[in-house]
Amino acid sequence: MTGSDLISLLPLLIVAAGSILVMLAIAIRRMYGVTVVLTFLTLAGALIADVLVPGSGRIGVLVTTGGLSQFGIGLVLVANLVVVLLASGYLAGYVENREEYYLLLLLETLGAGFLIAAVHFVSFLLGLELLSISLYALLAYVRTSHLANEAGIKYFILTAAASAVLLFGLSLVYFDLGTMSISDVSAALTAPGTLTPLLGAGIALTVAGIAFKLGLVPFHMWVADVYEGSPLPSTATIATVSKIAVFVFLYRLFGDVVHQAAPSVRSAFVVIAVASMLGGNWLALLQRNIKRILAYSSTANFGYLLLALVAGGPGGLQAGVFYLTVYAFTILGLFAVLTLISGPGEEHVDLDDVRGFARVHPFLSASFVIMLLSLAGIPVTGGFLGKIYLFKAGVDAALWMLSAVFIAGSAIALFYYLRIVAVQVEGPEHESETGSLSGRELPARRSAGAAIAVGLLVFVVVVLGAYPAPLLSLLQTVGIG
Amino acid sequence: MSLFVIVVSPFIAGMVAWGLSRTTSGHGGATAGRLVMAAGLLLPGILALSLWPAVSSAAGMPIADAARGAPSYAVEAAIPWIPQLGATIHLGADGLALLMVFLTVLLGLAATVVSWKDDIQRPGFFLFNLGLILSGVLGVFLSVDLFLFFLFWELMLVPMYFLIAIWGSEKRRAAALKFFIFTQASGLVMLLAILAVYFVHGHATGTYTFDLPALINAPLSGAGATLAMIGFLVAFGVKLPVVPFHPWLPDAHTEAPTAGSILLAGLLLKTGAYGLIRFIRPLFPVPFSAISPLLMTLAVVSIIYGAVLAYRQSDFKRLVAYTSISHMGFVLLGAASGTVIGFQGAIIAMLAHGFTTSALFATAGFLKDRLHSRELSDMGGMKSVTPRLAGFGIVFWVFALGFPGSANFMGEFLVLLGTFKTSIAFSAVAASGLVLSVIYSLRAVRAAFHGPVQVDPQTPDLTFRETALVLVMAALVLWIGLFPGRFLRLTQPIAQTHHQLVVQEGGNP
């Protein structure tokens, strides 16, 4: 490892150093403001380093820099910067210790970043476990809430089981192929006749473990409860950071091979994608809690992203990364608005809670609506172009059935996104009763940071929909697509 | 450049109007917002007028590239947009597009005027939605790039949904949802068709582009072409609307506020007809000729069905809504007839229906404001109480039944003439629709305006603004009806091109 290797790992090193610094600062004296600022500066510094430092390819056998790593780490850093802004206002009134939340966020970022850069089973597991363990605590951070405890424990037990399955799968793959390097495994998967029963079982278990982390059908049973129970900033981070990181890894492992791998591997992905698109959307239709709706919609959205994976090739990768980027910004915007009207233990995330939202907080409501329209894929939003790109990738790869299901799923999704939009502009259910919002004013914390974040996210989502050329050429310059 | 200004002007005016009405207290802000909106509509109107000489002189010239039916735009403008996707911001105007721009500007002004009321809630947001819809409609009429076209096509849905869902009458939520689902689902089907055309062209030629002239020059063939065409037809058929894609229309038109009904009937329906004319015929010449008899059958069914159901309505607005289905059937009939005259008749009928139906919806709005009812049984004897209102109401009903001298007569007559050349049977059945329209129109006139006085004798007559609005509309309908030559000349090139396509593909003359 040379000096330039260290420099190209600078973003991750900054996050690691920052987490030690924050831990020491907390040990010396608990100062909420200082902790928030330190965390923010760490993430911002890492982001600057990520943008400025060019990648130098593979470093050792464990990680790679540049390209997908650089972009993915940047995305994760941006997402957690937003989460820090959200958490700073959300936790401001929390009675118990608040500082460790930010330490956990930094560790989560480090795990996600390592996972994104991983090209080896060892670094993959290291990153994944760091990410998951930080998430357990983040999800259950508001100890006073039963729901948060339930979410944390549920996620902990199920994820631990999924990690065991994943580990077993990876060890079977290693046993059969004698390598833990992802590129070797990928190469072996495309070679004809190598898919022995043992390797097949290993791959199946690995896919199951990863599908669990992404909440794909049939491993989706945890998402709604975990989304619903966890504090909003934690929901935002699990919905974006952890899923981005795991999806990037999934892409590294299978992105180059699915479209030419054995039919059984390919059809496994197709089945999971179809089940997630239809199942996720169907379950989301049945919910009345916005967090639960978004949980199942994330299942559907990662089903859509599998379309890009199965399509493969540079076009599929570019479409997937574009969609993932837009999706992350959109979801962050939605959770940012919800965070602004919520606090620990009193979250306003039911459909009835936002009835008449547009009258009380027109700007927040407008932002919320724009984000929902982006998820629904209505122009002029990034979500619309993202869907076009995914569809283009699907058609280019002649995946007619998957593309058709994708369109059908998007059409079903309109119903529940529109329901959240409609309820905001409607008056009270009956003329006599006052709506929940007009009755008891929503708090709408004056958290300047989160408000600015909402504004920026809306701006980005609209610009990505109206003029995506800059992001597309950025993706091309870092070697994606 | 002026084309870009035409498209974005209403949107910007809507933004400014929203801002003004939020920052200024009382009714002053709303009034200022309405004036800004009017200015934002007059500007495109003036710019479109300034383009008239260029478009009109181009209309006299021989058609370039008529062999393939590629459209020749007198005025064009393009700037790069998403090069990776092959999409450009490419706008173009020919005679047809220009006429539609005028229709949009005038009906946009009408919608602003009819909503000029003090009791309207959140006037700023209302104007914002209005501006967004109008920009979307103008974009649809001027887009040359299919991707851009689709973007504008979708852009008008959400604000229209809000317009119905927030400012509509009692059953607004269900009506708004129905409207959104129908149009959005059909829009997705059209998106599939657009992408199919795009990919087939890209695979065949190596250049991926959404530009209409390029796509027309390399048409699809075989079953794929038919499927893609059906995708377009579904979307345009829902908007038009043609039976059996019409169920959203009566609810949406009836529950929408008056301005919303005007935009729906006057403009959104026209985007369906416009798409049919602008995109389907040149993109799919062979399958379109093959499917023309089916389309003409559906058109005739719509004419009769809409007229019969209109007769059965007791609700003034719902009645007008059903007549829209009938009148738009004539537009479809003319567009599918494959003759120059039928085609031009369809365009005149679009303009006529746009003005007449909007005026009738405005009348329904005036009645609702005064009587707080839309039921015909609550009206009666209006002509002695509010002579101006009743007088204009009768005039527009008479226009709607196709009275000679009105644009409606001219349009429907030309459509029947053109259809007669293709098929006497269709023409004969469609002509019976004219008789039915007399029956429902006169029934509405009798029930609402004649008979014993059933309303409060103190009911106020039309105000100055309202009178000016209906007067202008009536004048326009008469102008087009009495002097159609200018309009026919403007639409001559596109009609000729289409006719040549029909002849080339061996369809009916």
Side-chain angles (χ1 to χ4, degrees):
Chain A
M1 189 179 264
T2 62
S4 68
D5 287 349
L6 275 180
I7 289 176
S8 55
L9 281 176
L10 206 54
L12 293 180
L13 296 178
I14 290 176
V15 177
S19 47
I20 295 171
L21 198 65
V22 168
M23 184 165 62
L24 289 176
I26 296 173
I28 293 166
R29 181 142 186 251
R30 284 189 179 278
M31 288 178 291
Y32 185 62
V34 172
T35 314
V36 174
V37 171
L38 268 182
T39 311
F40 191 84
L41 290 180
T42 303
L43 291 174
L47 182 61
I48 293 169
D50 185 62
V51 172
L52 294 182
V53 176
S56 59
R58 179 171 290 214
I59 298 172
V61 291
L62 292 185
V63 294
T64 179
T65 57
L68 191 54
S69 300
Q70 195 179 3
F71 189 83
I73 290 174
L75 200 55
V76 162
L77 288 169
V78 170
N80 265 352
L81 274 171
V82 175
V83 173
V84 168
L85 290 177
L86 301 188
S88 68
Y90 183 89
L91 290 175
Y94 184 54
V95 284
E96 301 206 14
N97 290 335
R98 301 169 293 187
E99 289 78 7
E100 280 82 356
Y101 192 89
Y102 299 93
L103 178 59
L104 289 165
L105 263 185
L106 284 177
L107 291 173
E108 188 218 3
T109 317
L110 187 61
F114 207 58
L115 180 52
I116 287 171
V119 287
H120 195 272
F121 288 170
V122 169
S123 47
F124 163 64
L125 277 174
L126 208 59
L128 186 69
E129 287 308 301
L130 187 53
L131 173 73
S132 300
I133 292 169
S134 317
L135 274 176
Y136 307 147
L138 284 172
L139 292 175
Y141 198 81
V142 179
R143 290 193 303 145
T144 46
S145 156
H146 294 303
L147 282 175
N149 289 328
E150 183 200 329
I153 290 176
K154 201 165 220 167
Y155 188 68
F156 170 60
I157 293 175
L158 292 175
T159 306
S163 291
V165 168
L166 185 59
L167 199 54
F168 186 51
L170 292 179
S171 45
L172 286 182
V173 172
Y174 175 62
F175 182 74
D176 192 74
L177 295 176
T179 175
M180 289 202 279
S181 156
I182 285 169
S183 50
D184 293 347
V185 173
S186 290
L189 279 176
T190 44
T194 47
L195 198 65
T196 61
L198 202 58
L199 180 60
I203 293 294
L205 291 174
T206 309
V207 171
I210 293 175
F212 179 89
K213 305 271 178 190
L214 290 175
L216 293 165
V217 176
F219 310 99
H220 62 284
M221 56 304 236
W222 60 276
V223 276
D225 290 342
V226 168
Y227 269 52
E228 184 187 7
S230 53
L232 270 162
S234 306
T235 325
T237 196
I238 195 177
T240 52
V241 171
S242 95
K243 293 201 170 177
I244 291 169
V246 174
F247 191 80
V248 167
F249 180 78
L250 182 67
Y251 209 96
R252 282 201 196 287
L253 192 54
F254 292 110
D256 291 335
V257 302
V258 171
H259 60 290
Q260 47 184 330
S264 52
V265 177
R266 188 186 161 95
S267 51
F269 277 101
V270 171
V271 167
I272 292 179
V274 169
S276 301
M277 291 180 200
L278 295 180
N281 280 321
W282 174 250
L283 286 167
L285 269 182
L286 308 177
Q287 309 302 321
R288 287 198 62 82
N289 177 308
I290 297 175
K291 275 169 120 181
R292 292 182 77 92
I293 293 175
L294 291 177
Y296 286 124
S297 105
S298 88
T299 297
N301 274 289
F302 279 86
Y304 304 155
L305 276 165
L306 283 188
L307 174 64
L309 185 82
V310 178
L317 177 60
Q318 195 187 49
V321 172
F322 186 88
Y323 193 85
L324 196 59
T325 310
V326 173
Y327 178 74
F329 284 132
T330 309
I331 282 291
L332 283 170
L334 285 171
F335 281 119
V337 174
L338 286 177
T339 309
L340 275 169
I341 57 169
S342 298
E346 47 133 2
E347 298 194 340
H348 300 287
V349 291
D350 202 76
L351 271 183
D352 288 325
D353 288 335
V354 295
R355 190 176 292 283
F357 192 27
R359 283 163 202 275
V360 191
H361 297 296
F363 287 103
L364 277 183
S365 175
S367 315
F368 203 63
V369 167
I370 289 173
M371 294 300 178
L372 285 169
L373 295 180
S374 173
L375 275 186
I378 308 273
V380 187
T381 58
F384 167 68
L385 276 180
K387 289 204 164 149
I388 296 275
Y389 264 94
L390 278 189
F391 187 75
K392 180 176 187 286
V395 172
D396 264 344
L399 299 168
W400 302 113
M401 199 270 282
L402 264 186
S403 307
V405 176
F406 170 49
I407 294 290
S410 301
I412 298 174
L414 282 177
F415 283 90
Y416 57 82
Y417 293 133
L418 203 67
R419 184 152 64 188
I420 313 181
V421 173
V423 88
Q424 293 181 60
V425 298
E426 280 169 5
E429 191 80 60
H430 306 290
E431 295 301 328
S432 55
E433 71 184 52
T434 50
S436 64
L437 279 175
S438 41
R440 58 186 160 78
E441 280 290 314
L442 271 182
R445 278 146 228 290
R446 293 273 164 253
S447 165
I452 291 170
V454 169
L456 283 177
L457 289 167
V458 168
F459 178 76
V460 169
V461 165
V462 173
V463 166
L464 282 180
Y467 191 55
L471 176 63
L472 292 172
S473 47
L474 172 71
L475 289 180
Q476 275 162 352
T477 45
V478 298
I480 300 171
Chain B
M1 188 60 215
S2 50
L3 289 176
F4 297 122
V5 177
I6 288 177
V7 173
V8 298
S9 175
F11 169 65
I12 292 174
M15 294 272 275
V16 173
W18 193 12
L20 275 177
S21 68
R22 282 194 69 82
T23 50
T24 321
S25 59
H27 293 312
T31 308
R34 289 183 185 114
L35 290 173
V36 169
M37 193 72 226
L41 283 167
L42 284 174
L43 178 64
I46 293 166
L47 287 173
L49 270 181
S50 74
L51 296 178
W52 187 304
V55 172
S56 150
S57 63
M61 289 191 297
I63 308 140
D65 202 11
R68 259 287 39 104
S72 53
Y73 296 97
V75 189
E76 273 188 276
I79 48 175
W81 182 26
I82 318 175
Q84 292 90 343
L85 212 57
T88 46
I89 302 185
H90 187 175
L91 302 177
D94 62 356
L96 172 62
L98 204 61
L99 285 179
M100 292 297 131
V101 169
F102 286 125
L103 182 71
T104 311
V105 167
L106 289 166
L107 293 186
L109 285 170
T112 314
V113 170
V114 296
S115 58
W116 202 306
K117 294 182 289 195
D118 288 339
D119 60 343
I120 195 162
Q121 288 190 322
R122 292 150 80 196
F125 189 49
F126 183 89
L127 289 170
F128 173 75
N129 283 315
L130 204 64
L132 203 52
I133 295 171
L134 291 170
S135 277
V137 173
L138 287 170
V140 163
F141 289 147
L142 293 174
S143 292
V144 181
D145 187 281
L146 272 180
F147 194 73
L148 189 68
F149 162 75
F150 183 74
L151 191 128
F152 284 125
W153 179 268
E154 295 279 287
L155 193 63
M156 41 188 186
L157 298 191
V158 175
M160 188 42 109
Y161 168 81
F162 281 142
L163 216 56
I164 302 173
I166 300 180
W167 291 278
S169 44
E170 293 76 28
K171 291 181 221 141
R172 56 183 179 272
R173 287 179 207 168
L177 192 66
K178 208 166 173 182
F179 162 77
F180 193 87
I181 303 277
F182 263 86
T183 44
Q184 178 68 28
S186 63
L188 281 176
V189 178
M190 179 167 70
L191 177 62
L192 290 183
I194 290 177
L195 291 171
V197 173
Y198 168 77
F199 283 116
V200 169
H201 179 263
H203 278 299
T205 62
T207 42
Y208 285 87
T209 176
F210 284 104
D211 213 35
L212 187 61
L215 294 174
I216 287 175
N217 282 323
L220 275 69
S221 56
T226 309
L227 275 178
M229 182 187 67
I230 288 171
F232 279 91
L233 273 178
V234 167
F236 297 147
V238 166
K239 274 274 172 68
L240 202 61
V242 55
V243 175
F245 298 116
H246 66 284
W248 64 272
L249 181 135
D251 290 337
H253 282 58
T254 311
E255 301 302 325
T258 306
S261 307
I262 289 179
L263 295 188
L264 273 171
L267 298 176
L268 264 66
L269 266 50
K270 303 303 171 298
T271 60
Y274 180 84
L276 198 73
I277 292 169
R278 174 71 80 202
F279 298 107
I280 294 189
R281 170 76 88 182
L283 276 174
F284 311 102
V286 183
F288 191 84
S289 292
I291 208 171
S292 282
L294 174 65
L295 288 180
M296 289 167 80
T297 311
L298 287 177
V300 170
V301 169
S302 296
I303 292 172
I304 304 292
Y305 173 88
V308 169
L309 279 178
Y311 178 74
R312 297 181 58 86
Q313 301 308 314
S314 61
D315 177 320
F316 191 105
K317 255 185 131 173
R318 223 175 159 77
L319 202 169
V320 182
Y322 275 107
T323 67
S324 280
I325 300 181
S326 183
H327 291 303
M328 292 309 283
F330 278 101
V331 175
L332 177 61
L333 188 65
S337 71
T339 58
V340 176
I341 291 184
F343 201 81
Q344 291 190 310
I347 295 171
I348 299 290
M350 278 162 78
L351 295 173
H353 174 257
F355 289 122
T356 312
T357 309
S358 300
L360 282 174
F361 276 124
T363 310
F366 300 152
L367 289 167
K368 175 94 192 292
D369 290 344
R370 287 163 175 78
L371 309 175
H372 306 288
S373 168
R374 298 187 308 242
E375 289 297 317
L376 286 174
S377 55
D378 291 341
M379 298 170 182
M382 297 291 289
K383 87 174 153 48
S384 52
V385 181
T386 57
R388 270 196 307 255
L389 201 171
F392 277 108
I394 293 169
V395 164
F396 284 111
W397 273 120
V398 169
F399 285 166
L401 64 81
F403 193 72
S406 68
N408 308 58
F409 170 77
M410 189 53 68
E412 287 171 10
F413 176 73
L414 290 178
V415 166
L416 290 177
L417 202 62
T419 314
F420 191 80
K421 285 195 197 169
T422 317
S423 152
I424 297 174
F426 281 130
S427 191
V429 181
S432 72
L434 283 176
V435 179
L436 292 173
S437 76
V438 173
I439 297 174
Y440 66 68
S441 299
L442 292 184
R443 171 176 171 266
V445 166
R446 188 178 53 88
F449 304 123
H450 292 270
V453 177
Q454 295 196 8
V455 297
D456 180 4
Q458 303 302 316
T459 309
D461 206 344
L462 291 185
T463 65
F464 171 72
R465 254 197 317 266
E466 291 166 344
T467 314
L469 173 72
V470 284
L471 197 60
V472 170
M473 302 275 246
L476 283 166
V477 175
L478 282 177
W479 183 39
I480 301 172
L482 293 174
F483 306 102
R486 182 191 305 272
F487 303 96
L488 293 177
R489 198 158 52 245
L490 269 183
T491 54
Q492 185 75 20
I494 187 164
Q496 286 285 2
T497 326
H498 283 237
H499 179 62
Q500 283 178 7
L501 280 177
V502 177
V503 174
Q504 275 166 22
E505 306 306 340
N508 293 317

